[in-house]
Amino acid sequence: MTALHPSLGVPSTPESTLDSVLTPEAMYRIPAHRVATEPRTGRPAPTGHAHSPSLVMLVLIATVGILAYAHFLLNPASRGDWLPYSLVIAAESILIFQALLSMWTILSGSSDPREFSVHQAQATLIHTRSLARDGLMDQPERWPLHLGDQPATIDVFITTYGEDLDVIRTTVTAARRMHGEHLTRVLDDGRSDEVRDLAAELGVRYLRRLSSNGAKAGNVNHALTVSTAEFFVIFDADFVPKPGFLLETLPFFIDDTVSFVQTPQAYSNLHNVISRGAGYMQAVFYRFIQPGRNRFNAAFCVGTNVIFRRDAINDIGGMYTDSKSEDVWTSLKLHERGWKTIYIPTVLATGHAPDTVEAYTKQQLRWATGGFEILLQSNPLSPRRRLTFDQRLQYLVTASFYLTGIAPLLLLLVPPLEIYFDLRPMNISTTVVTWLLYYAGFYLMQVVLAFYTMGSFRWETLMLATASFPIYVAALINVLVGKEQHWSATGNRSKAASPFNFMIPQVLFFVFLLLTSVVAVWRDVTIGTLTLATAWNVTNTVILGTFVGTALIESHGARRVRALSRKVVPS
């Protein structure tokens, strides 16, 4: 999922939203190259590109560790007091479900979407003799592209909504320089005259609309009514494409059942704790989960760094507009119509990860709200969905993913229950060594996998995963009560506020855990034994304290920048 924006309107019922993408009048204005009339069925045939034996072995060991931990927790002999035991079971059930499905998807990722026909199409994408004849060899942005014997027409949409001009300038300049003939358009929902002038300066088309209905998806749908190309690319304003984007993605469309080709979101600003944590939290998804979904024809669009076939979007009535997760919903509707989706783990554009508490909070709140909308308002397992069993499971995993962000809240409450009320989650006869053995089989193997696959274990991700529970609770409440979540541009510092404005629950919880740790240490000193509850609570306190410390550093840095700005600007 990716950044969405403004007024999405009043939520409607799932049945009505599924068919309310574009009005018939708007659809009439979208030029159609070919509109499919019958849904396609069937799973794409996998091709061979196996994981390394070491990775397969680690994933299998981790899976065994997960199952052993689940068996230990569910064994009646392990059950302790009901309240803390229920909290542990609820939290760990969510985490184990997600972990098992992730392992299964990773192991499935041996399917390489680059079939022979794709390589063949890539080899004939550019007609070099024609380039030499027409004197275009030194102008790659003007190279005509061909799919088979047919010329391909491409529009590049750069969606903007209040981003800094320098950010937009960098992206537009890079988009213009992409190899292959294309037409670049700036879709400005911020209605900024400065952006309009910038587009004119850079020699690209500029488009704004009268309203922001449908947010980013509505913006793209509006652009489709005034453009004609057979394929269109979407970049968020802060994602800078590489020159070879079209050359790598377009050949997949030689298969006329392919609806879109998605590439990863990668970040170039991993310069502080928040941006590194936010960036690496998504790394496993883009390196292993999305490739695994190719096997099930369940790769999702993430809203940017993606190229679409116009006919596929016409077939489903335009980009889906009635959800925070317009990208996932658009993918779902394409899958229901039998279209094929492709994900390639090749980084072809880099963007900005949120690097402040405010930006991270707003981004995660939007994404989580979209996920909970799917979970609570549109059941992927419903028989009304025309999906394969594999696709249903993948959508269920996506819809329920943000529950893993609420699980830490339940686990944070367990140690205080023992410290204050002597309530234990596990049977008092279970030794600490036994508990740690099963616990390590689950969590330690996740750390080992992170080391193997990512080259390191990023403590920043653990910190954010633990400290973000208020965001996900708020998102869940938003969906339950129908509260609208407004959009703001990632990385826009023009309205920067104190990070503590967005983390009051975390600060209060940190103070509570700190006091609890003091009480626990005093108790252990009195009885002369270090208890697991004390160690667990102190660890949680340190993790939340790190987040609070990160906010203090950010707040101090922001004050220093403002002070320097006042000195530079004459009074």
Side-chain angles (χ1 to χ4, degrees):
M1 285 173 285
T2 187
L4 308 180
H5 68 96
S7 50
L8 286 166
V10 179
S12 53
T13 62
E15 291 75 13
S16 65
T17 55
L18 281 175
D19 299 319
S20 61
V21 183
L22 273 184
T23 64
E25 292 76 16
M27 280 302 302
Y28 177 76
R29 294 195 299 271
I30 297 179
H33 293 270
R34 180 183 55 77
V35 178
T37 55
E38 295 296 332
R40 299 173 176 82
T41 58
R43 181 188 301 179
T47 57
H49 179 68
H51 287 312
S52 73
S54 301
L55 177 60
V56 173
M57 181 187 68
L58 281 176
V59 171
L60 290 176
I61 293 176
T63 304
V64 172
I66 294 168
L67 293 173
Y69 183 55
H71 174 74
F72 169 71
L73 289 178
L74 297 175
N75 186 346
S78 303
R79 188 179 65 223
D81 295 302
W82 273 108
L83 179 56
Y85 178 74
S86 300
L87 292 176
V88 169
I89 290 297
E92 301 289 26
S93 296
I94 296 168
L95 299 176
I96 287 173
F97 171 76
Q98 288 285 334
L100 283 176
L101 267 294
S102 295
M103 296 300 162
W104 174 55
T105 306
I106 290 173
L107 285 176
S108 303
S110 59
S111 174
D112 186 348
R114 288 184 177 82
E115 299 174 341
F116 175 75
S117 59
V118 175
H119 291 291
Q120 195 174 34
Q122 192 164 33
T124 58
L125 199 61
I126 301 167
H127 297 176
T128 51
R129 290 184 179 177
S130 299
L131 297 183
R133 181 195 62 206
D134 298 334
L136 297 176
M137 293 300 291
D138 296 330
Q139 303 177 62
E141 71 278 4
R142 295 183 59 192
W143 290 348
L145 300 179
H146 297 77
L147 271 179
D149 295 330
Q150 300 298 318
T153 54
I154 304 157
D155 280 323
V156 175
F157 298 153
I158 299 173
T159 58
T160 72
Y161 184 72
E163 290 83 358
D164 292 340
L165 287 182
D166 289 342
V167 171
I168 299 173
R169 177 188 294 277
T170 302
T171 299
V172 172
T173 301
R176 278 205 61 195
R177 291 174 179 169
M178 286 196 306
H179 295 178
E181 189 173 22
H182 61 279
L183 186 61
T184 302
R185 299 174 185 268
V186 175
L187 314 185
D188 180 25
D189 257 6
R191 304 185 191 89
S192 164
D193 291 342
E194 289 78 11
V195 175
R196 179 198 60 198
D197 296 342
L198 177 65
E201 174 192 336
L202 298 177
V204 299
R205 302 286 180 90
Y206 174 83
L207 189 63
R208 72 167 67 171
R209 53 188 179 141
L210 297 178
S211 74
S212 297
N213 291 338
K216 176 178 164 182
N219 197 5
V220 172
N221 284 337
H222 178 250
L224 288 173
T225 66
V226 298
S227 61
T228 58
E230 186 178 2
F231 304 97
F232 65 92
V233 182
I234 301 176
F235 292 118
D236 283 351
D238 60 338
F239 274 89
V240 181
K242 294 184 177 180
F245 184 93
L246 297 176
L247 307 186
E248 291 291 332
T249 56
L250 192 63
F252 288 94
F253 292 99
I254 194 68
D255 179 351
D256 63 7
T257 67
V258 170
S259 58
F260 67 76
V261 179
Q262 177 66 61
T263 70
Q265 289 190 19
Y267 303 103
S268 59
N269 66 327
L270 306 182
H271 57 84
N272 66 12
V273 172
I274 298 295
S275 60
R276 285 196 298 273
Y280 285 115
M281 282 175 77
Q282 300 179 52
V284 171
F285 174 75
Y286 286 115
R287 290 187 61 178
F288 296 101
I289 302 298
Q290 280 275 59
R293 287 176 172 172
N294 277 330
R295 177 177 289 273
F296 312 122
N297 190 27
F300 298 165
C301 167
V302 297
T304 183
N305 312 345
V306 59
I307 178 170
F308 280 95
R309 185 192 299 271
R310 173 189 285 264
D311 286 339
I313 295 302
N314 286 351
D315 188 37
I316 61 172
M319 302 288 288
Y320 190 77
T321 57
D322 286 342
S323 171
K324 298 290 185 300
S325 298
E326 96 288 358
D327 36 22
V328 178
W329 267 103
T330 298
S331 307
L332 187 149
K333 289 174 69 65
L334 288 167
H335 286 141
E336 286 194 309
R337 290 289 295 170
W339 286 94
K340 186 176 178 180
T341 62
I342 298 290
Y343 173 80
I344 55 173
T346 307
V347 175
L348 296 172
T350 54
H352 290 172
D355 58 358
T356 66
V357 171
E358 176 184 358
Y360 172 77
T361 300
K362 291 180 176 179
Q363 179 206 61
Q364 292 298 305
L365 189 59
R366 290 194 308 273
W367 291 4
T369 301
F372 288 135
E373 282 178 349
I374 296 176
L375 180 66
L376 300 178
Q377 299 174 0
S378 302
N379 178 12
L381 301 180
S382 168
R384 288 179 299 176
R385 296 266 171 260
R386 300 186 299 276
L387 300 170
T388 66
F389 177 74
D390 294 329
Q391 289 171 334
R392 291 175 191 277
L393 274 184
Q394 294 298 329
Y395 280 105
L396 179 64
V397 170
T398 296
S400 61
F401 173 76
Y402 288 99
L403 290 175
T404 62
I406 298 177
L409 170 62
L410 306 181
L411 296 176
L412 287 173
L413 294 171
V414 173
L417 285 174
E418 179 177 338
I419 293 167
Y420 290 120
F421 305 105
D422 202 27
L423 297 176
R424 292 174 171 79
M426 310 311 293
N427 191 320
I428 198 167
S429 64
T430 302
T431 66
V432 172
V433 174
T434 302
W435 184 83
L436 284 177
L437 184 64
Y438 286 105
Y439 192 79
F442 180 20
Y443 286 98
L444 185 60
M445 279 310 302
Q446 308 299 312
V447 175
V448 171
L449 262 180
F451 262 107
Y452 183 87
T453 56
M454 311 304 296
S456 64
F457 175 72
R458 292 289 179 174
W459 63 269
E460 297 95 333
T461 61
L462 175 64
M463 180 198 73
L464 287 184
T466 304
S468 299
F469 62 88
I471 303 171
Y472 305 123
V473 171
L476 181 58
I477 294 173
N478 284 350
V479 174
L480 290 174
V481 303
K483 181 180 178 181
E484 180 66 17
Q485 173 59 42
H486 297 290
W487 185 94
S488 63
T490 299
N492 187 346
R493 294 172 175 272
S494 60
K495 299 179 180 178
S498 168
F500 291 99
N501 292 347
F502 302 90
M503 49 183 289
I504 293 175
Q506 288 96 329
V507 172
L508 294 177
F509 224 94
F510 167 69
V511 172
F512 168 66
L513 292 183
L514 182 62
L515 294 174
T516 303
S517 293
V518 172
V519 172
V521 170
W522 175 80
R523 184 194 65 166
D524 287 3
V525 169
T526 302
I527 63 177
T529 301
L530 175 64
T531 63
L532 182 60
T534 300
W536 189 357
N537 197 80
V538 169
T539 302
N540 292 338
T541 306
V542 171
I543 293 173
L544 267 184
T546 305
F547 185 63
V548 174
T550 299
L552 281 171
I553 294 172
E554 179 185 319
S555 180
H556 175 72
R559 285 199 301 270
R560 191 166 57 183
V561 169
R562 285 195 293 269
L564 289 174
S565 300
R566 284 195 293 269
K567 289 181 180 179
V568 171
V569 178
S571 59

